[in-house]
Amino acid sequence: MRALTWHGTRDVRVESVSDPEIINPRDAIIKVTSTAICGSDLHLYDGVIPGMQSGDVLGHEFMGEVVETGASSTLKKGQRVVVPFTIACGGCFHCAVQQYSACENSNPVEKQDMSATLYGHPMAGLFGYSHLTGGYSGGQAEYVRVPFSDVGPIIIPDHLEDDNVLFLSDILPTGWMAAENADIGPDDTVAVWGCGPVGLFAIQSALVMGAAQVIAIDHYPHRLELARKLGAKIINFRETNVREALMEMSGGIGVDAVIDAVGMEAHGFAIDNMLDVVKQKVGVGADRASALKQALLAVRFGGRVSIPGVYGGMTDKFPLGALMEKGVQLRTGQTHVQKYLGDLLAKIEDGTLDTTFLISHHLPLEDAATGYRNFKEKQDSWTKVVLRPGMEAGAAGASTTRTMEQV
């Protein structure tokens, strides 16, 4: 089959690899119909996530048709399913309390040592995301093996198009959980750093949850415009002192809740961030946490801090004093996707949530390397890339590319 494979920093290729096979009775094989490039895929593309091996198949946002099942799978051939990026067994302590992204059994024992050393406990398995998380082949491919297929995938009704539901695999529940972790009340002012796909869905979710005002912070004009159209107020951090603006917009008390949807590759020319960029490039310190540091200083005393942005290693010059002295509540973690699937699918069907507004491009799988390059280098206009394995190579012209004006 054809699949997108990783070969080093900013070197991804579509090439022929072996077809996946049923290994465990709970497995299923999915023929991928749509798959997306995630912002966290760019951390792999940029080479800042450890544990990658040449030839690894990327992709953790995907959906498709069931074409083969193991003896214990509850899926049936022909069903359309969206697959969570978190792999969960459904039977361990954490799965029993719906903390699926902390599953104890989905990361094979031989892969657990590195993450156990880094984090104190081994991570759960994730699709297409480093051997820290199991080394599972991802879904930017024609076919993919889905372990524990009786726990994760959600069956999709035929009347819903792929674009309506694809993001149930990751970024929609990630944005929703980010807002939920911010414990939003009806009088709250919520500030969201980052208007990438997760940030935009966090903004949409916070508004659905009843926040009085949501403030979006970024420097890309088109992404800020998408946030404004959702109903957020916007701050361009290239043009405005963010902390002063947030104090003014919150009546001088500080915002009630902050959401860091940026993660380990923050932009900006603040001195601390420029030093972090240098350290990341030479391998000293793995995370550029400038957005999180700003968020901790901007939140009010007793406020809430939610971190959906991905961090992988260490950072320094961290405002630990602000975290303690302000008495904030801090919640973070990989998304427990399986917990949210049913409710979010219902909100898509009844029109509460729109999942299509941020899609900027549809490309054939064969053009995936182009998609990665532009998603990385043209972030203002390439807001979300959906890959279609069955789409003819080179077919992504005006009829298949959603332009900025159409969004």
Side-chain angles (χ1 to χ4, degrees), residues 275-392:
L275 291 172
D276 285 343
V277 169
V278 174
K279 287 184 287 187
Q280 196 172 66
K281 286 186 180 300
V282 299
V284 179
D287 293 338
R288 290 159 25 202
S290 180
L292 177 57
K293 295 171 187 175
Q294 292 178 36
L296 284 170
L297 296 179
V299 69
R300 68 166 169 81
F301 275 73
R304 288 90 63 192
V305 179
S306 170
I307 311 174
V310 172
Y311 290 95
M314 310 291 179
T315 189
D316 58 10
K317 303 297 184 292
F318 188 78
L320 187 59
L323 180 65
M324 184 275 166
E325 298 292 350
K326 297 174 81 171
V328 300
Q329 169 186 301
L330 175 66
R331 299 180 70 184
T332 184
Q334 295 285 357
T335 309
H336 310 304
V337 177
Q338 292 86 341
K339 174 182 176 181
Y340 299 102
L341 286 176
D343 183 47
L344 292 179
L345 178 60
K347 283 182 168 56
I348 292 170
E349 287 205 273
D350 69 17
T352 302
L353 294 173
D354 173 23
T355 60
T356 62
F357 71 94
L358 44 60
I359 300 173
S360 58
H361 294 80
H362 293 92
L363 298 178
L365 176 65
E366 294 293 327
D367 292 346
T370 300
Y372 267 78
R373 183 171 62 254
N374 287 325
F375 190 48
K376 167 68 181 178
E377 298 177 357
K378 301 178 180 179
Q379 293 191 22
D380 189 37
S381 54
W382 286 64
T383 52
K384 191 65 181 178
V385 181
V386 174
L387 304 171
R388 296 266 168 79
M391 194 173 175
E392 186 177 349

Side-chain angles (χ1 to χ4, degrees), residues 166-251:
L166 171 62
F167 304 139
L168 285 168
S169 56
D170 177 1
I171 56 174
L172 179 60
T174 296
W176 184 267
M177 191 173 104
E180 184 177 84
N181 281 346
D183 196 18
I184 293 168
D187 297 325
D188 280 347
T189 292
V190 181
V192 180
W193 272 257
C195 294
V198 168
L200 289 168
F201 279 142
I203 290 165
Q204 187 180 38
S205 300
L207 290 166
V208 169
M209 292 179 187
Q213 66 173 342
V214 177
I215 303 166
I217 303 158
D218 206 302
H219 64 122
Y220 291 113
H222 177 55
R223 293 187 176 209
L224 284 168
E225 180 61 16
L226 291 176
R228 190 190 64 77
K229 288 181 177 178
L230 288 172
K233 298 177 180 177
I234 60 174
I235 295 175
N236 186 327
F237 68 76
R238 301 281 194 203
E239 302 171 349
T240 304
N241 183 309
V242 173
R243 202 185 325 165
E244 289 181 2
L246 291 177
M247 285 296 286
E248 182 176 345
M249 297 167 82
S250 60

Side-chain angles (χ1 to χ4, degrees), residues 84 86-106 123-126 151-152 334-341:
T86 47
I87 302 171
C89 74
C92 69
F93 169 83
H94 290 100
C95 286
V97 295
Q98 295 190 304
Q99 295 175 347
Y100 295 101
S101 68
C103 175
E104 301 163 27
N105 296 317
S106 58
M123 292 185 69
L126 306 178
V151 176
Q334 295 285 357
T335 309
H336 310 304
V337 177
Q338 292 86 341
K339 174 182 176 181
Y340 299 102
L341 286 176

Side-chain angles (χ1 to χ4, degrees), residues 58-127:
L58 302 185
H60 58 271
E61 296 179 1
F62 60 92
M63 64 175 296
E65 177 187 344
V66 180
V67 293
E68 191 174 354
T69 58
S72 299
S73 174
T74 53
L75 298 177
K76 297 178 181 177
K77 293 180 182 178
Q79 289 177 324
R80 294 172 67 225
V81 294
V82 172
V83 181
F85 78 96
T86 47
I87 302 171
C89 74
C92 69
F93 169 83
H94 290 100
C95 286
V97 295
Q98 295 190 304
Q99 295 175 347
Y100 295 101
S101 68
C103 175
E104 301 163 27
N105 296 317
S106 58
N107 193 347
V109 172
E110 65 272 18
K111 303 281 188 180
Q112 294 184 0
D113 286 352
M114 185 183 296
S115 60
T117 300
L118 280 171
Y119 308 133
H121 296 83
M123 292 185 69
L126 306 178
F127 286 101

